[in-house]
Amino acid sequence: MAARIHNFNPGPAVLPLSVLEEAREALVDFKGTGMSITEISHRSAVFEEVLNDAIARLGRLVNLPDNFKVLFLQGGASTQFFMVPMNLIPEGRSADYINTGTWSTKAIKEIDILKKPYKVIASSEDRDFCYIPKEFRVSPDAAYLHFTSNNTIKGTQWSRFPDAGNVPLVSDMSSDMLCRPFDPGPFGLMYAGAQKNLGPAGVTLVIIREDMLERVPKSLPTMLRYTTHAEQNSLYNTPPCINIYIVQLVFKWLEETIGGLEAMERINMEKADLLYGFIDSNDFYRGTADKDSRSMMNVTFRLPKEDLEKQFVAEAQKSGLGGLKGHRSVGGCRASLYNAVGLDDVQSLVDFMKEFAQKNG
Ligand SMILES: Cc1ncc(COP(=O)(O)O)c(C=O)c1O
């Protein structure tokens, strides 16, 4: 049995051990081909089977209607920050954005660079992004409404997605994709860098509604057009085959071991309740997000003093609990509880936190 720590990294993050073990075999000899998954052609039947199985599994996991296409792209979620406005804002239209933290701010920065028309219809910047805005009015003629479903750095999450009427939703779901069931119906596009809930960094999942493809300007460079990738089943150029393979294994784990997204949500809620419940039960630890905006995936908290936070992170690491340092831009502590983090990992963290508070409180 491999020696593994309790891994609370924000991303790249922990993956299910069974997935890693299966991938280890495939790294040398993929399904008896005598070749590694990294050595076979992306145009071979064996790889196309991997790709199509990943797409089919995702479709079943999120009950994806037939009019959506699943794409595997490169360049991370950060590339989607500019691909979305380049592809989806028709001439003469404007897009709405909601700013809930660092990643939304970066998405807005890209549309600004492109000089495309947009409007920030709500922001939680006034209180350092510690909440999800509740009051906003979506422009009825907006090309789309962009929001970040989970704010990895600030530890907030939309518990219910914004209602934009007929305006298609576009969401950066990098840090909570597949953590719970959701209705893809109101979405024009969803995207997620894989390195939290889905697999290794280097592949980006994009789910796009077919009618959105009609907006894509032919004047864009080939690789930057969603139509290119949709028409070629993500095989226009060489895709990151091993990453897609690991994503396929993660989807299989979600379907067959966990039992789907309802079951995943129950586990995620149990994990988050355990940790937030403990944080709220004492005065030593303090959660940084408003209670009604708290993220199930990234639990951000402070200790009474910065020195104690440093000591906490270092002692936790020594005790086999890794990745608890808050993002460098905000400080404090953060425990990321992605899908592959077990309830036992969270229990070990809570036990450690109790002991640390007793010794240092
Ligand atoms: C919500 C969110 N969006 C975007 C990104 C950036 O993703 P990438 O590194 O894949 O570009 C991250 C990375 O942590 C994130 O958490």
Side-chain angles (χ1 to χ4, degrees):
M1 175 80 177
R4 309 254 302 157
I5 68 160
H6 302 289
N7 183 347
F8 300 99
N9 274 329
V14 62
L15 292 173
L17 182 58
S18 60
V19 165
L20 297 176
E21 283 172 343
E22 196 170 341
R24 178 167 61 189
E25 297 300 314
L27 196 59
V28 180
D29 178 7
F30 183 60
K31 296 201 167 151
T33 56
M35 293 179 280
S36 165
I37 180 72
T38 62
E39 295 171 318
I40 58 174
S41 165
H42 59 294
R43 307 214 179 269
S44 62
V46 264
F47 180 71
E48 281 208 56
E49 202 179 305
V50 168
L51 177 64
N52 291 333
D53 186 63
I55 294 168
R57 285 184 186 279
L58 181 75
R60 290 195 293 271
L61 280 165
V62 299
N63 287 322
L64 198 63
D66 287 344
N67 60 331
F68 281 83
K69 286 251 189 260
V70 176
L71 312 178
F72 292 102
L73 307 185
Q74 298 183 61
S78 302
T79 294
Q80 296 310 305
F81 295 165
F82 59 85
M83 264 182 87
V84 164
M86 285 172 103
N87 279 267
L88 303 185
I89 306 183
E91 204 53 44
R93 305 266 301 275
S94 163
D96 280 358
Y97 278 71
I98 298 180
N99 191 2
T100 50
T102 316
W103 298 111
S104 314
T105 305
K106 288 197 173 184
I108 292 166
K109 186 177 147 215
E110 295 302 304
I111 187 168
D112 208 52
I113 289 173
L114 290 168
K115 299 198 178 357
K116 291 268 185 185
Y118 72 94
K119 190 165 148 195
V120 177
I121 59 161
S123 165
S124 49
E125 196 169 5
D126 58 333
R127 287 202 290 124
D128 196 20
F129 300 113
C130 71
Y131 69 100
I132 297 292
K134 284 166 199 66
E135 306 280 314
F136 48 85
R137 218 187 126 263
V138 182
S139 317
D141 55 347
Y144 57 80
L145 168 64
H146 182 283
F147 70 101
T148 312
S149 58
N150 183 74
N151 300 283
T152 326
I153 295 176
K154 307 290 181 179
T156 63
Q157 184 176 26
W158 290 78
S159 54
R160 267 195 304 141
F161 294 145
D163 179 359
N166 289 329
V167 173
L169 298 176
V170 170
S171 188
D172 174 2
M173 298 189 168
S174 292
S175 51
D176 69 349
M177 181 63 99
L178 306 188
C179 80
R180 59 186 174 188
F182 69 99
D183 173 15
F187 286 86
L189 187 146
M190 296 145 262
Y191 63 92
Q195 63 271 19
K196 288 111 173 23
N197 268 347
L198 310 180
V203 63
T204 312
L205 175 66
V206 171
I207 308 174
I208 184 165
R209 212 171 63 199
E210 273 167 359
D211 61 289
M212 303 299 278
L213 293 168
E214 289 159 21
R215 301 182 178 192
V216 175
K218 293 202 170 48
S219 56
L220 293 181
T222 313
M223 277 296 285
L224 294 185
R225 275 184 251 146
Y226 289 124
T227 40
T228 301
H229 304 288
E231 283 158 11
Q232 313 253 352
N233 197 24
S234 304
L235 292 170
Y236 171 73
N237 74 325
T238 317
C241 296
I242 188 165
N243 306 52
I244 295 172
Y245 168 65
I246 296 177
V247 170
Q248 180 219 8
L249 293 182
V250 170
F251 291 170
K252 186 168 103 178
W253 171 81
L254 271 169
E255 265 197 300
E256 295 176 10
T257 306
I258 297 296
L261 297 191
E262 278 87 8
M264 192 69 258
E265 182 181 37
R266 277 195 299 278
I267 298 169
N268 283 332
M269 281 168 68
E270 208 178 334
K271 285 160 18 189
D273 285 349
L274 176 61
L275 185 49
Y276 283 120
F278 172 68
I279 289 173
D280 292 342
S281 72
N282 66 84
D283 296 330
F284 189 78
Y285 300 98
R286 180 178 56 82
T288 60
D290 281 8
K291 281 192 184 168
D292 65 357
S293 301
R294 282 173 162 176
S295 166
M296 275 199 295
M297 295 280 98
N298 309 98
V299 178
T300 48
F301 55 96
R302 308 287 322 218
L303 275 64
K305 281 191 284 185
E306 263 181 50
D307 283 357
L308 274 176
E309 289 171 345
K310 274 198 195 126
Q311 187 187 334
F312 173 84
V313 171
E315 285 185 21
Q317 187 74 49
K318 275 195 207 133
S319 304
L321 302 146
L324 293 166
K325 192 165 176 287
H327 191 267
R328 61 190 183 281
S329 64
V330 293
C333 301
R334 168 177 57 177
S336 296
L337 310 183
Y338 298 127
N339 286 350
V341 172
L343 189 60
D344 54 325
D345 296 309
V346 184
Q347 187 60 58
S348 300
L349 173 60
V350 168
D351 293 344
F352 173 82
M353 287 170 78
K354 262 186 208 160
E355 215 181 291
F356 189 87
Q358 270 159 15
K359 274 198 231 145
N360 299 284

